[in-house]
Amino acid sequence: MDRKNSDEKEIHQLRNRFHDLAEKSYNQGIFTFTGFLGLSEQDVFWQGEGRLSYAGYCMEGGYETADRVVVRFGNQEELGYETPFPIVCIHIEPLARKFADELSHRDFLGALMNLGIERSTVGDIKVGESQAYLFCLDSIAGFICENLSQVKHTHVKCSIVESPASLPGEEPVPRVVQVQSLRADAVLAKVYNLSREKSLELFRAGKVYVNGRLCENNSRQLKSGETVNARGYGKFILTGEPRETRKGKLAAEVAVYS
């Protein structure tokens, strides 16, 4: 099976999974949950959102600006009760910080995948100073805590964070970029210091998402509050209303996440 057919099969299976979860929630009067969805999977959800909304839904990734999220089907007002998202935060830290390697997101993710767990059970990994905060499904949290003992050459210990809300926040870098318009390709190019052609390549390659939806229209006008993810570069949020400069350009404020 070639790559295209394989991708189409996976998309079809994912759509069926969304449909089955929505049906189960609606017919049985219970909340149902997906696993963690990446940006491309979220785009599949949004494409079929109109056919799923009858069941009610909301999204959560463990913290406010999470990239990978879980979808919960079910309408709280109609069901008359609340069920929290099955998301747990795990703190991964070196046993001896003094001798720890410089560990990257890839190092932590690789160590987790080497345990043989499904990618859908793992959400975002917030990395800093050879430690990480991992968001995962509660069904796999115990297994990770018991079995993740080494990342790269560094021996680590894992503990469940009782209050993820108290975690140190990921502070974005505020910037002001000057553009001719709020076209998505123009703003993206300025934020990441890319040529217009390189910016266009990202759109053509399907690597740009706006609010979790694949954006293939590079001339799309961005609006204040929208989040743009560019695979391989990071994400930024267009904050505030742009103001016109003396030279007739727009000065747009953005919050850039690494």
Side-chain angles (χ1 to χ4, degrees):
M1 181 182 297
D2 61 34
R3 178 63 182 271
K4 182 178 180 180
N5 288 336
S6 177
D7 289 346
E8 290 177 350
K9 181 179 179 181
E10 289 180 5
I11 290 172
H12 180 71
Q13 291 174 338
L14 187 57
R15 284 174 176 160
N16 286 343
R17 177 63 174 159
F18 291 150
H19 171 77
D20 292 345
L21 288 171
E23 281 285 289
K24 183 177 181 179
S25 174
Y26 186 79
N27 292 329
Q28 298 184 22
I30 60 174
F31 289 109
T32 59
F33 300 88
T34 67
F36 280 97
L37 306 176
L39 290 170
S40 59
E41 295 162 321
Q42 291 172 48
D43 183 61
V44 175
F45 171 81
W46 287 119
Q47 289 177 26
E49 185 267 344
R51 297 185 294 275
L52 301 168
S53 58
Y54 69 92
Y57 68 86
C58 58
M59 294 180 172
E60 174 63 55
Y63 66 105
E64 186 176 358
T65 58
D67 288 331
R68 294 178 61 80
V69 299
V70 171
V71 176
R72 184 184 74 177
F73 291 101
N75 189 308
Q76 180 182 347
E77 294 183 359
E78 293 183 4
L79 296 180
Y81 69 98
E82 170 69 11
T83 296
F85 280 78
I87 299 175
V88 171
C89 180
I90 297 176
H91 184 204
I92 308 171
E93 58 183 325
L95 291 178
R97 193 179 296 269
K98 180 179 179 181
F99 303 107
D101 295 314
E102 286 290 333
L103 300 175
S104 66
H105 182 279
R106 178 175 293 184
D107 294 326
F108 284 103
L109 181 59
L112 288 163
M113 295 300 97
N114 285 338
L115 295 179
I117 62 179
E118 294 290 333
R119 184 68 177 98
S120 62
T121 64
V122 175
D124 283 9
I125 307 171
K126 299 177 66 177
V127 179
E129 297 182 359
S130 297
Q131 64 177 330
Y133 289 95
L134 161 71
F135 293 87
C136 66
L137 297 182
D138 58 6
S139 58
I140 202 69
F143 177 83
I144 292 174
C145 287
E146 292 175 8
N147 292 277
L148 183 62
S149 59
Q150 187 170 334
V151 178
K152 207 171 180 179
H153 305 296
T154 300
H155 293 281
V156 299
K157 61 179 179 180
C158 301
S159 57
I160 293 178
V161 178
E162 296 298 334
S163 180
S166 65
L167 295 181
E170 180 185 6
E171 293 296 331
V173 177
R175 288 182 54 195
V176 176
V177 295
Q178 292 190 11
V179 290
Q180 294 289 351
S181 71
L182 293 182
R183 283 173 54 123
D185 57 355
V187 180
L188 181 66
K190 282 292 184 180
V191 170
Y192 296 113
N193 195 27
L194 304 175
S195 67
R196 196 63 171 270
E197 183 58 33
K198 181 62 179 180
S199 177
L200 285 172
E201 286 179 12
L202 294 176
F203 286 90
R204 292 167 182 158
K207 294 184 177 182
V208 181
Y209 294 80
V210 178
N211 291 342
R213 298 168 172 83
L214 178 65
C215 181
E216 296 179 297
N217 178 13
N218 61 284
S219 63
R220 181 191 190 281
Q221 294 289 309
L222 296 179
K223 300 175 183 178
S224 178
E226 290 190 317
T227 299
V228 179
N229 289 76
R231 283 188 167 176
Y233 291 89
K235 69 180 177 182
F236 66 89
I237 300 175
L238 184 64
T239 58
E241 294 297 331
R243 61 184 185 276
E244 187 171 342
T245 68
R246 293 179 179 178
K247 296 183 178 180
K249 291 186 176 182
L250 293 177
E253 296 180 3
V254 295
V256 184
Y257 293 81
S258 58

PDB file of all heavy atoms in Angstrom, residues 137-159:
ATOM      1  N   LEU A 137      -2.572  10.234  29.252  1.00  0.00           N
ATOM      2  CA  LEU A 137      -3.828   9.671  29.730  1.00  0.00           C
ATOM      3  C   LEU A 137      -3.597   8.984  31.070  1.00  0.00           C
ATOM      4  O   LEU A 137      -2.549   8.368  31.298  1.00  0.00           O
ATOM      5  CB  LEU A 137      -4.379   8.668  28.716  1.00  0.00           C
ATOM      6  CG  LEU A 137      -4.759   9.222  27.337  1.00  0.00           C
ATOM      7  CD1 LEU A 137      -5.340   8.111  26.471  1.00  0.00           C
ATOM      8  CD2 LEU A 137      -5.745  10.382  27.457  1.00  0.00           C
ATOM      9  N   ASP A 138      -4.583   9.047  31.944  1.00  0.00           N
ATOM     10  CA  ASP A 138      -4.423   8.444  33.265  1.00  0.00           C
ATOM     11  C   ASP A 138      -4.253   6.929  33.179  1.00  0.00           C
ATOM     12  O   ASP A 138      -3.660   6.311  34.074  1.00  0.00           O
ATOM     13  CB  ASP A 138      -5.595   8.809  34.186  1.00  0.00           C
ATOM     14  CG  ASP A 138      -6.960   8.394  33.625  1.00  0.00           C
ATOM     15  OD1 ASP A 138      -7.024   7.729  32.572  1.00  0.00           O
ATOM     16  OD2 ASP A 138      -7.982   8.763  34.255  1.00  0.00           O
ATOM     17  N   SER A 139      -4.722   6.330  32.094  1.00  0.00           N
ATOM     18  CA  SER A 139      -4.616   4.877  31.946  1.00  0.00           C
ATOM     19  C   SER A 139      -3.180   4.404  31.745  1.00  0.00           C
ATOM     20  O   SER A 139      -2.871   3.230  31.967  1.00  0.00           O
ATOM     21  CB  SER A 139      -5.465   4.412  30.757  1.00  0.00           C
ATOM     22  OG  SER A 139      -5.048   5.057  29.559  1.00  0.00           O
ATOM     23  N   ILE A 140      -2.292   5.308  31.327  1.00  0.00           N
ATOM     24  CA  ILE A 140      -0.902   4.929  31.060  1.00  0.00           C
ATOM     25  C   ILE A 140       0.061   5.546  32.062  1.00  0.00           C
ATOM     26  O   ILE A 140       1.253   5.214  32.082  1.00  0.00           O
ATOM     27  CB  ILE A 140      -0.519   5.345  29.617  1.00  0.00           C
ATOM     28  CG1 ILE A 140       0.688   4.531  29.093  1.00  0.00           C
ATOM     29  CG2 ILE A 140      -0.220   6.834  29.535  1.00  0.00           C
ATOM     30  CD1 ILE A 140       0.373   3.084  28.845  1.00  0.00           C
ATOM     31  N   ALA A 141      -0.435   6.426  32.927  1.00  0.00           N
ATOM     32  CA  ALA A 141       0.435   7.176  33.834  1.00  0.00           C
ATOM     33  C   ALA A 141       1.232   6.254  34.758  1.00  0.00           C
ATOM     34  O   ALA A 141       2.437   6.436  34.963  1.00  0.00           O
ATOM     35  CB  ALA A 141      -0.385   8.168  34.655  1.00  0.00           C
ATOM     36  N   GLY A 142       0.567   5.268  35.351  1.00  0.00           N
ATOM     37  CA  GLY A 142       1.246   4.353  36.266  1.00  0.00           C
ATOM     38  C   GLY A 142       2.350   3.573  35.575  1.00  0.00           C
ATOM     39  O   GLY A 142       3.443   3.393  36.134  1.00  0.00           O
ATOM     40  N   PHE A 143       2.063   3.120  34.358  1.00  0.00           N
ATOM     41  CA  PHE A 143       3.063   2.363  33.591  1.00  0.00           C
ATOM     42  C   PHE A 143       4.283   3.221  33.314  1.00  0.00           C
ATOM     43  O   PHE A 143       5.424   2.760  33.451  1.00  0.00           O
ATOM     44  CB  PHE A 143       2.441   1.886  32.278  1.00  0.00           C
ATOM     45  CG  PHE A 143       3.407   1.159  31.378  1.00  0.00           C
ATOM     46  CD1 PHE A 143       3.677  -0.187  31.565  1.00  0.00           C
ATOM     47  CD2 PHE A 143       4.059   1.838  30.348  1.00  0.00           C
ATOM     48  CE1 PHE A 143       4.574  -0.860  30.739  1.00  0.00           C
ATOM     49  CE2 PHE A 143       4.957   1.179  29.521  1.00  0.00           C
ATOM     50  CZ  PHE A 143       5.211  -0.176  29.716  1.00  0.00           C
ATOM     51  N   ILE A 144       4.066   4.477  32.937  1.00  0.00           N
ATOM     52  CA  ILE A 144       5.192   5.371  32.654  1.00  0.00           C
ATOM     53  C   ILE A 144       6.014   5.610  33.915  1.00  0.00           C
ATOM     54  O   ILE A 144       7.251   5.529  33.895  1.00  0.00           O
ATOM     55  CB  ILE A 144       4.692   6.704  32.071  1.00  0.00           C
ATOM     56  CG1 ILE A 144       4.098   6.492  30.668  1.00  0.00           C
ATOM     57  CG2 ILE A 144       5.830   7.735  32.003  1.00  0.00           C
ATOM     58  CD1 ILE A 144       3.455   7.728  30.072  1.00  0.00           C
ATOM     59  N   CYS A 145       5.350   5.888  35.024  1.00  0.00           N
ATOM     60  CA  CYS A 145       6.068   6.148  36.276  1.00  0.00           C
ATOM     61  C   CYS A 145       6.903   4.944  36.717  1.00  0.00           C
ATOM     62  O   CYS A 145       7.990   5.105  37.281  1.00  0.00           O
ATOM     63  CB  CYS A 145       5.086   6.531  37.377  1.00  0.00           C
ATOM     64  SG  CYS A 145       4.381   8.184  37.192  1.00  0.00           S
ATOM     65  N   GLU A 146       6.414   3.748  36.451  1.00  0.00           N
ATOM     66  CA  GLU A 146       7.118   2.540  36.867  1.00  0.00           C
ATOM     67  C   GLU A 146       8.251   2.156  35.911  1.00  0.00           C
ATOM     68  O   GLU A 146       9.232   1.541  36.329  1.00  0.00           O
ATOM     69  CB  GLU A 146       6.138   1.374  36.966  1.00  0.00           C
ATOM     70  CG  GLU A 146       5.133   1.502  38.100  1.00  0.00           C
ATOM     71  CD  GLU A 146       4.102   0.379  38.086  1.00  0.00           C
ATOM     72  OE1 GLU A 146       4.276  -0.569  37.285  1.00  0.00           O
ATOM     73  OE2 GLU A 146       3.127   0.475  38.851  1.00  0.00           O
ATOM     74  N   ASN A 147       8.115   2.515  34.640  1.00  0.00           N
ATOM     75  CA  ASN A 147       9.052   1.996  33.645  1.00  0.00           C
ATOM     76  C   ASN A 147       9.982   3.015  33.001  1.00  0.00           C
ATOM     77  O   ASN A 147      10.998   2.621  32.413  1.00  0.00           O
ATOM     78  CB  ASN A 147       8.265   1.282  32.533  1.00  0.00           C
ATOM     79  CG  ASN A 147       7.598   0.017  33.028  1.00  0.00           C
ATOM     80  OD1 ASN A 147       8.217  -1.034  33.097  1.00  0.00           O
ATOM     81  ND2 ASN A 147       6.312   0.126  33.366  1.00  0.00           N
ATOM     82  N   LEU A 148       9.668   4.286  33.087  1.00  0.00           N
ATOM     83  CA  LEU A 148      10.565   5.287  32.502  1.00  0.00           C
ATOM     84  C   LEU A 148      11.653   5.617  33.518  1.00  0.00           C
ATOM     85  O   LEU A 148      11.422   6.362  34.467  1.00  0.00           O
ATOM     86  CB  LEU A 148       9.803   6.549  32.104  1.00  0.00           C
ATOM     87  CG  LEU A 148      10.648   7.627  31.406  1.00  0.00           C
ATOM     88  CD1 LEU A 148      11.222   7.114  30.093  1.00  0.00           C
ATOM     89  CD2 LEU A 148       9.825   8.900  31.167  1.00  0.00           C
ATOM     90  N   SER A 149      12.822   5.054  33.324  1.00  0.00           N
ATOM     91  CA  SER A 149      13.911   5.240  34.284  1.00  0.00           C
ATOM     92  C   SER A 149      15.135   5.906  33.665  1.00  0.00           C
ATOM     93  O   SER A 149      16.059   6.279  34.382  1.00  0.00           O
ATOM     94  CB  SER A 149      14.325   3.886  34.874  1.00  0.00           C
ATOM     95  OG  SER A 149      14.740   2.986  33.842  1.00  0.00           O
ATOM     96  N   GLN A 150      15.131   6.047  32.327  1.00  0.00           N
ATOM     97  CA  GLN A 150      16.297   6.647  31.678  1.00  0.00           C
ATOM     98  C   GLN A 150      15.890   7.394  30.426  1.00  0.00           C
ATOM     99  O   GLN A 150      15.086   6.914  29.629  1.00  0.00           O
ATOM    100  CB  GLN A 150      17.328   5.559  31.334  1.00  0.00           C
ATOM    101  CG  GLN A 150      18.653   6.084  30.802  1.00  0.00           C
ATOM    102  CD  GLN A 150      19.709   4.992  30.715  1.00  0.00           C
ATOM    103  OE1 GLN A 150      19.667   4.008  31.447  1.00  0.00           O
ATOM    104  NE2 GLN A 150      20.654   5.150  29.809  1.00  0.00           N
ATOM    105  N   VAL A 151      16.435   8.583  30.257  1.00  0.00           N
ATOM    106  CA  VAL A 151      16.256   9.373  29.038  1.00  0.00           C
ATOM    107  C   VAL A 151      17.650   9.691  28.522  1.00  0.00           C
ATOM    108  O   VAL A 151      18.442  10.329  29.211  1.00  0.00           O
ATOM    109  CB  VAL A 151      15.480  10.673  29.313  1.00  0.00           C
ATOM    110  CG1 VAL A 151      15.347  11.496  28.031  1.00  0.00           C
ATOM    111  CG2 VAL A 151      14.108  10.372  29.898  1.00  0.00           C
ATOM    112  N   LYS A 152      17.942   9.203  27.310  1.00  0.00           N
ATOM    113  CA  LYS A 152      19.283   9.299  26.757  1.00  0.00           C
ATOM    114  C   LYS A 152      20.239   8.573  27.717  1.00  0.00           C
ATOM    115  O   LYS A 152      20.050   7.390  27.969  1.00  0.00           O
ATOM    116  CB  LYS A 152      19.670  10.764  26.539  1.00  0.00           C
ATOM    117  CG  LYS A 152      20.702  10.990  25.435  1.00  0.00           C
ATOM    118  CD  LYS A 152      20.852  12.485  25.157  1.00  0.00           C
ATOM    119  CE  LYS A 152      21.882  12.706  24.068  1.00  0.00           C
ATOM    120  NZ  LYS A 152      22.038  14.160  23.756  1.00  0.00           N
ATOM    121  N   HIS A 153      21.237   9.257  28.280  1.00  0.00           N
ATOM    122  CA  HIS A 153      22.130   8.608  29.242  1.00  0.00           C
ATOM    123  C   HIS A 153      21.830   9.018  30.681  1.00  0.00           C
ATOM    124  O   HIS A 153      22.586   8.699  31.599  1.00  0.00           O
ATOM    125  CB  HIS A 153      23.589   8.960  28.924  1.00  0.00           C
ATOM    126  CG  HIS A 153      24.000   8.629  27.523  1.00  0.00           C
ATOM    127  ND1 HIS A 153      24.034   7.341  27.045  1.00  0.00           N
ATOM    128  CD2 HIS A 153      24.366   9.425  26.476  1.00  0.00           C
ATOM    129  CE1 HIS A 153      24.422   7.347  25.777  1.00  0.00           C
ATOM    130  NE2 HIS A 153      24.614   8.599  25.412  1.00  0.00           N
ATOM    131  N   THR A 154      20.733   9.723  30.863  1.00  0.00           N
ATOM    132  CA  THR A 154      20.401  10.266  32.178  1.00  0.00           C
ATOM    133  C   THR A 154      19.346   9.417  32.881  1.00  0.00           C
ATOM    134  O   THR A 154      18.278   9.137  32.320  1.00  0.00           O
ATOM    135  CB  THR A 154      19.871  11.711  32.035  1.00  0.00           C
ATOM    136  OG1 THR A 154      20.870  12.527  31.433  1.00  0.00           O
ATOM    137  CG2 THR A 154      19.485  12.280  33.384  1.00  0.00           C
ATOM    138  N   HIS A 155      19.636   8.996  34.099  1.00  0.00           N
ATOM    139  CA  HIS A 155      18.666   8.262  34.899  1.00  0.00           C
ATOM    140  C   HIS A 155      17.677   9.259  35.500  1.00  0.00           C
ATOM    141  O   HIS A 155      18.072  10.302  36.032  1.00  0.00           O
ATOM    142  CB  HIS A 155      19.371   7.476  36.007  1.00  0.00           C
ATOM    143  CG  HIS A 155      20.222   6.355  35.477  1.00  0.00           C
ATOM    144  ND1 HIS A 155      19.696   5.152  35.067  1.00  0.00           N
ATOM    145  CD2 HIS A 155      21.559   6.279  35.273  1.00  0.00           C
ATOM    146  CE1 HIS A 155      20.673   4.366  34.629  1.00  0.00           C
ATOM    147  NE2 HIS A 155      21.818   5.025  34.741  1.00  0.00           N
ATOM    148  N   VAL A 156      16.396   8.918  35.394  1.00  0.00           N
ATOM    149  CA  VAL A 156      15.349   9.846  35.815  1.00  0.00           C
ATOM    150  C   VAL A 156      14.374   9.175  36.765  1.00  0.00           C
ATOM    151  O   VAL A 156      14.309   7.954  36.881  1.00  0.00           O
ATOM    152  CB  VAL A 156      14.582  10.391  34.590  1.00  0.00           C
ATOM    153  CG1 VAL A 156      15.500  11.139  33.649  1.00  0.00           C
ATOM    154  CG2 VAL A 156      13.840   9.274  33.858  1.00  0.00           C
ATOM    155  N   LYS A 157      13.592  10.014  37.438  1.00  0.00           N
ATOM    156  CA  LYS A 157      12.484   9.539  38.264  1.00  0.00           C
ATOM    157  C   LYS A 157      11.225  10.277  37.839  1.00  0.00           C
ATOM    158  O   LYS A 157      11.277  11.417  37.342  1.00  0.00           O
ATOM    159  CB  LYS A 157      12.757   9.768  39.747  1.00  0.00           C
ATOM    160  CG  LYS A 157      12.943  11.235  40.143  1.00  0.00           C
ATOM    161  CD  LYS A 157      13.187  11.367  41.645  1.00  0.00           C
ATOM    162  CE  LYS A 157      13.393  12.833  42.040  1.00  0.00           C
ATOM    163  NZ  LYS A 157      13.629  12.981  43.499  1.00  0.00           N
ATOM    164  N   CYS A 158      10.099   9.638  38.013  1.00  0.00           N
ATOM    165  CA  CYS A 158       8.821  10.214  37.591  1.00  0.00           C
ATOM    166  C   CYS A 158       7.877  10.322  38.779  1.00  0.00           C
ATOM    167  O   CYS A 158       7.828   9.424  39.631  1.00  0.00           O
ATOM    168  CB  CYS A 158       8.167   9.347  36.515  1.00  0.00           C
ATOM    169  SG  CYS A 158       9.144   9.124  35.019  1.00  0.00           S
ATOM    170  N   SER A 159       7.132  11.395  38.813  1.00  0.00           N
ATOM    171  CA  SER A 159       6.129  11.563  39.866  1.00  0.00           C
ATOM    172  C   SER A 159       4.934  12.311  39.293  1.00  0.00           C
ATOM    173  O   SER A 159       5.079  13.196  38.441  1.00  0.00           O
ATOM    174  CB  SER A 159       6.715  12.334  41.052  1.00  0.00           C
ATOM    175  OG  SER A 159       7.211  13.599  40.647  1.00  0.00           O
TER     176      SER A 159
END
